[in-house]
Amino acid sequence: MADELTGLGASRPSRRLLAAGAVLVGVLGLAALAAPWLTPYDPDAIVVASYHGPLAPGGGHLLGTDTLGRDVWARLVYGARTSLFVGGLAMAASLAIGMTAGLVAGYFGGVTDAALMWVVDLVLTMPSLLLLIVLATVLPPSLLTIPLVIGAIGWTTFARTVRGEVLSLRERDYISAARALGASDPRIILRHLLPGVLPGVVVLAALGMSGAIVVDAGLSYLGLGVPLPTPSWGRMVSDAQTYIAVAPWLLLAPGVAIALAVIGFNLIGYGLIDLIGRRNA
Amino acid sequence: MRRLAGVLAASLLAAACAVPLDPPPSGPPDGDGPPHPGGVLRLAAGEDPRTLDPARGYDTVSWSFEQMLFNTLVNYDDGTNIVPELAASWTTSTDGRLVSFTLRRDVRFTSGRPFTAADVKYSLERLLKPSIHSQGAEFFTGIEGATDYAAGRAGEVRGIRTAAPDRVEFALTTVDPLFLHKLTMPFAAVVDREAVDRVGDEDFARHPAGTGAFVFGEWVYGQRLRLTRNPDYFRSGLPYLDAIELTIGVSPQLGWLKYQRGEIDLAGVPSAEFQRVLADDRYRPLILSRTTLRTQYLGLNCALAPFDRVPVRQAMNLAIDKQRLLELIDGEGVIANGILPPDMPGYEPVPGYAHDPALARERLREAGLEHGFAITLWATRDEGSMRLAQSMQQDLSQIGVTMALKPVDFPALIEAVRHPGVVQLFLLGWEADFPDPSNFLTVLLHSRSRDTNNNTFYSNPEVDHLLDEAEPLLDLRRRFALFHEAEVLIMRDAPWVPLFHPAGSAVRHPRVRGYELHPLRPSRVERVWVAW
């Protein structure tokens, strides 16, 4: 099927990448959705009768218990929900802001373009981690705060890429034709430009997703992520670090989960780049 | 590809196994041999001491080094009894308002100049000078004329009299049963006036000089601090050590590793390692542990809903599983039923609250809150307090109370709780400055303290009355009985959920001898020696 789509025979590596990424992301997505069926434990509940340090994997606890006596596997699978939710929402927010800005700037050009790109440059000049820390500290902690903050800072890449794409697309004949036929600006943007920029955006979205997961993990690691006790992989890593010699599984489990999620989305992203590149070639 | 997967799997498996606990540093076995002079005690800290000027330091690290460099008229023994230091003896007048000291005549400053009564007067007047901005000044405003002096209306504190070079008398405006305790604080340490005159008040923190067991050597900011033995120390034969060396910039985690490598002599055991260390025969004889005069508590703001009602506050007390909290601090302490720590003079058990979620729910029903409520707990953002907070979060969810967490830095927490109407609920600890019940009950729970340390804004006229009545009493039995009565009333009103009284702990290099933890002050090192 894919061979027919691309019209080329040598696209197996990109398909493999895509497939591997899709499998990884699919497994994580399934784990997130099916979390209640994957573990009998409440991720926030203390499950040990009395606490004497973390329990090693085995027994009733697949990945042992953590530094509070909670089930690590339960926190890991419920943590997938947090990570995917935060990553997804952050990416969606970036996408919405970035695409709007990019389409508008690219299509209208002139002062609008200059103004919007000036804003993009302004956001880019600010040290993003510092800005994230300030915003995450000032805004009230909630599950929505962090993804929206990440989104509000991460949209600039989308805006620039989309604008660049639009600049070249708007000179194409079919756009001139649409304009000659009296199509309105919104119609041209939504019906003719948007589909043209989508492939590039999808790639960016996949890569942005993994970026957002890493940023969320970083913020949680700094203690600024989603509010406790909501399980999050970054927080699990940060809570586990002093226990690395005593209970390495506490660090390993969320660390591997973060790595798999990032690898999964990156594989999808690079697979798509490859696929699109071949088709355009 | 397959081989790579194999290697990867094997390394994952290897990483998943806990690393065995490294042994403690090796050293001579413990024995009864006589103290051995010589040697250097190697310590480590995360940051520089904030100051070495006793008029300004008010934190554990500063105090621990000030204690090495300076002396006070009186001090504590290994426990909370007051013993002479620079003073040879003292008497208190029958009305309790005149305290007279006879001073030792064999004490010299490290410059060689003899110590006299004038130095005592000078040091306390320096403390009270407004330009010093000492947090310790408030403890000595009860000396006659101190407020006039502090306000610049007098050239001296007339209540400090130096009748002879070896006599100093303090006239007090009111009876103060805690006056001797206040004189044990490093704030009241005797400084070398000539050294202060030479370097100035500001630089004295970096060039401190007193009568202490050790002499200031050098201080390279962010790197190291070195004190050397005072050969003319008035306690002959002491100190045993030649020097104290502090390495600065060592995190607790790094300190632990350096300790295991034998590079430092004393360290704290990281929480992560505590269980293993405690269970290890090689470490057990090296662990120092001692209960301190500290109470960790949940403060309930009595001026804000829903904690403006007693049943709700009682429900909080009944809901928290303190046994679990004690397990989370590795059992290093005892459960708190009341306000006062068990080592506090005058401590009497008070009827506390057992862990009883069913009864807690009943109390909430009484208050019309059977459907629970939502609150926010303010706590420091460190891992330790977040663990405690999450455990309590689970306890409270059992009675329908949803507790959100607000992790903040310690200075921000201290600031926030002082403002009425800001913080509903907070997690804090208090460590006694003096071994007297008033240091908890009056300082933290008298309605008069609401603009300072009574951060629960608790106010009960009956309690105030008992505390005021006890305050000036020199008769300890009567004094302690009144404080106990007040504590029982306070616990009935439940402005706090007392959680536990943490113990202090440390681990020593096997060569370190004579190092002991103190219930309310940093450890003293003049009797510490190293074996080899």
Side-chain angles (χ1 to χ4, degrees):
Chain A
M1 287 290 282
D3 290 276
E4 284 169 23
L5 184 71
T6 60
L8 285 161
S11 64
R12 302 203 87 181
S14 60
R15 272 177 52 208
R16 272 198 190 151
L17 287 182
L18 256 179
V23 167
L24 273 178
V25 169
V27 166
L28 290 172
L30 266 179
L33 286 175
W37 292 278
L38 290 175
T39 171
Y41 298 110
D42 173 350
D44 301 338
I46 295 166
V47 295
V48 294
S50 69
Y51 176 84
H52 301 285
L55 291 179
H61 304 287
L62 194 58
L63 290 175
T65 59
D66 71 359
T67 58
L68 218 65
R70 298 176 296 203
D71 185 85
V72 175
W73 170 249
R75 288 189 75 70
L76 198 70
V77 291
Y78 278 93
R81 289 184 167 187
T82 314
S83 275
L84 294 180
F85 174 79
V86 170
L89 189 59
M91 192 269 298
S94 296
L95 202 64
I97 306 172
M99 256 186 20
T100 311
L103 283 168
V104 168
Y107 179 72
F108 291 106
V111 182
T112 320
D113 184 23
L116 280 170
M117 286 307 113
W118 180 79
V119 175
V120 168
D121 287 340
L122 192 73
V123 174
L124 279 175
T125 53
M126 286 189 259
S128 54
L129 184 63
L130 224 58
L131 199 61
L132 277 168
I133 291 174
V134 169
L135 287 175
T137 312
V138 171
L139 298 171
S142 88
L143 201 54
L144 291 179
T145 310
I146 296 301
L148 293 181
V149 165
I150 298 175
I153 292 174
W155 60 275
T156 51
T157 328
F158 289 94
R160 285 203 153 177
T161 314
V162 168
R163 171 181 171 271
E165 197 88 333
V166 170
L167 282 182
S168 82
L169 285 179
R170 74 170 183 190
E171 305 304 327
R172 300 268 178 97
D173 291 340
Y174 74 98
I175 302 292
S176 314
R179 206 176 280 137
L181 286 170
S184 64
D185 289 341
R187 187 180 166 84
I188 292 175
I189 291 177
L190 291 176
R191 295 297 294 272
H192 301 293
L193 288 176
L194 186 61
V197 301
L198 267 183
V201 165
V202 170
V203 172
L204 277 182
L207 297 177
M209 184 82 186
S210 69
I213 288 175
V214 170
V215 172
D216 169 52
L219 282 178
S220 306
Y221 179 81
L222 294 174
L224 296 167
V226 296
L228 292 171
T230 312
S232 94
W233 294 341
R235 185 76 199 199
M236 288 169 79
V237 169
S238 110
D239 286 347
Q241 60 179 343
T242 55
Y243 288 78
I244 187 163
V246 187
W249 60 91
L250 292 181
L251 194 75
L252 214 61
V256 167
I258 293 171
L260 289 182
V262 170
I263 291 171
F265 283 108
N266 278 353
L267 286 178
I268 292 180
Y270 291 121
L272 285 172
I273 289 177
D274 232 24
L275 213 60
I276 294 162
R278 281 168 202 286
R279 195 175 55 183
N280 289 349
Chain B
M1 190 67 189
R2 183 163 299 164
R3 196 177 326 150
L4 185 71
V7 170
L8 204 70
S11 56
L12 276 182
L13 209 65
C17 298
V19 181
L21 181 63
D22 282 331
S26 55
D30 281 3
D32 289 336
H36 206 302
V40 176
L41 188 71
R42 301 158 307 165
L43 307 173
E47 288 168 25
D48 287 286
R50 278 168 62 185
T51 179
L52 293 178
D53 182 345
R56 298 176 197 250
Y58 199 6
D59 59 288
T60 311
V61 180
S62 302
W63 275 18
S64 66
F65 289 96
E66 289 167 17
Q67 286 182 164
M68 302 175 194
L69 297 164
F70 300 95
N71 293 109
T72 42
L73 289 177
V74 286
N75 215 326
Y76 294 115
D77 62 2
D78 294 343
T80 55
N81 304 307
I82 292 178
V83 293
E85 192 161 294
L86 292 175
S89 63
W90 67 89
T91 56
T92 305
S93 65
T94 41
D95 69 352
R97 288 182 42 202
L98 187 71
V99 188
S100 320
F101 292 89
T102 305
L103 307 182
R104 293 180 70 119
R105 308 173 77 160
D106 55 353
V107 180
R108 288 175 181 276
F109 287 101
T110 49
S111 63
R113 187 171 64 83
F115 150 82
T116 67
D119 295 304
V120 177
K121 184 176 168 84
Y122 169 79
S123 299
L124 281 166
E125 284 178 350
R126 175 170 182 266
L127 177 79
L128 289 161
K129 266 201 309 201
S131 63
I132 293 281
H133 297 293
S134 175
Q135 286 175 285
E138 58 165 308
F139 297 112
F140 300 96
T141 47
I143 301 173
E144 247 173 49
T147 42
D148 283 347
Y149 176 80
R153 290 191 295 267
E156 61 159 350
V157 179
R158 64 174 183 280
I160 308 177
R161 294 189 284 241
T162 54
D166 65 344
R167 277 195 72 75
V168 62
E169 292 175 358
F170 294 92
L172 307 179
T173 50
T174 52
V175 176
D176 184 358
L178 297 181
F179 189 65
L180 287 176
H181 291 290
K182 291 173 180 174
L183 287 178
T184 68
M185 298 176 99
F187 287 125
V190 177
V191 299
D192 183 350
R193 153 180 224 158
E194 286 176 1
V196 178
D197 286 345
R198 195 167 55 245
V199 299
D201 275 331
E202 293 309 312
D203 275 353
F204 188 66
R206 273 160 279 166
H207 303 280
T211 57
F214 292 89
V215 186
F216 177 74
E218 74 165 339
W219 183 1
V220 183
Y221 281 119
Q223 294 184 31
R224 63 182 180 276
L225 171 66
R226 186 180 164 90
L227 311 182
T228 55
R229 180 172 192 272
N230 177 2
D232 302 320
Y233 190 47
F234 67 87
R235 285 173 175 145
S236 67
L238 293 183
Y240 296 122
L241 294 165
D242 280 340
I244 311 268
E245 266 175 14
L246 174 74
T247 308
I248 296 157
V250 178
S251 68
Q253 195 66 28
L254 180 57
W256 171 243
L257 297 175
K258 283 173 100 66
Y259 162 77
Q260 285 182 319
R261 291 174 53 113
E263 292 172 11
I264 56 174
D265 290 318
L266 289 155
V269 182
S271 174
E273 296 279 7
F274 208 91
Q275 301 282 346
R276 302 207 301 183
V277 169
L278 213 60
D280 192 313
D281 287 333
R282 299 168 300 179
Y283 278 95
R284 213 173 292 128
L286 304 175
I287 296 173
L288 303 157
S289 175
R290 140 142 238 177
T291 52
T292 56
L293 295 184
R294 280 189 285 170
T295 304
Q296 201 75 24
Y297 66 98
L298 272 187
L300 315 176
N301 190 327
C302 304
L304 278 182
F307 299 131
D308 51 351
R309 279 174 291 171
V310 174
V312 184
R313 303 201 294 259
Q314 289 177 338
M316 293 291 285
N317 270 279
L318 292 161
I320 303 294
D321 182 354
K322 299 174 186 177
Q323 180 58 40
R324 165 92 57 201
L325 299 179
L326 191 65
E327 287 163 8
L328 289 177
I329 60 161
D330 303 303
E332 278 297 280
V334 291
I335 286 179
N337 283 315
I339 313 280
L340 299 179
D343 284 2
M344 176 67 84
Y347 167 83
E348 285 282 338
V350 291
Y353 297 85
H355 179 221
D356 189 345
L359 192 55
R361 274 191 297 270
E362 204 168 299
R363 289 277 183 280
L364 288 188
R365 243 192 321 278
E366 276 171 37
L369 285 169
E370 59 272 25
H371 301 301
F373 52 87
I375 38 164
T376 301
L377 171 73
W378 290 57
T380 55
R381 61 169 82 254
D382 60 285
E383 196 207 330
S385 71
M386 284 296 113
R387 285 169 76 213
L388 299 176
Q390 289 179 84
S391 177
M392 293 190 280
Q393 217 171 24
Q394 293 302 307
D395 293 338
L396 291 174
S397 72
Q398 303 290 311
I399 63 162
V401 173
T402 313
M403 184 170 84
L405 304 184
K406 171 100 182 161
V408 291
D409 293 321
F410 184 68
L413 178 61
I414 291 291
E415 182 58 30
V417 293
R418 280 175 194 228
H419 297 285
V422 174
V423 178
Q424 273 175 309
L425 181 66
F426 57 89
L427 173 62
L428 262 184
W430 181 259
E431 178 167 19
D433 284 323
F434 322 112
D436 185 79
S438 66
N439 199 247
F440 272 86
L441 303 178
T442 311
V443 171
L444 299 168
L445 292 152
H446 195 292
S447 66
R448 189 176 60 222
S449 308
R450 278 178 295 182
D451 53 358
T452 53
N453 289 312
N454 179 351
N455 302 322
T456 59
F457 301 94
Y458 171 69
S459 164
N460 179 342
E462 211 179 332
V463 169
D464 287 354
H465 181 76
L466 286 167
L467 295 176
D468 289 337
E469 200 183 333
E471 188 82 48
L473 290 183
L474 290 165
D475 170 8
L476 289 183
R477 262 192 41 204
R478 177 103 186 90
R479 178 182 182 85
F480 290 160
L482 287 172
F483 278 128
H484 177 66
E485 211 177 311
E487 190 184 2
V488 170
L489 286 181
I490 292 167
M491 281 312 296
R492 197 198 57 199
D493 289 341
W496 284 22
V497 183
L499 302 176
F500 50 83
H501 307 291
S505 73
V507 59
R508 65 179 172 94
H509 193 292
R511 73 190 195 119
V512 174
R513 306 292 156 82
Y515 185 89
E516 277 169 24
L517 301 177
H518 195 269
L520 79 163
R521 288 292 146 81
S523 295
R524 300 180 67 90
V525 294
E526 59 185 68
R527 290 177 196 279
V528 172
W529 56 284
V530 290
W532 64 76

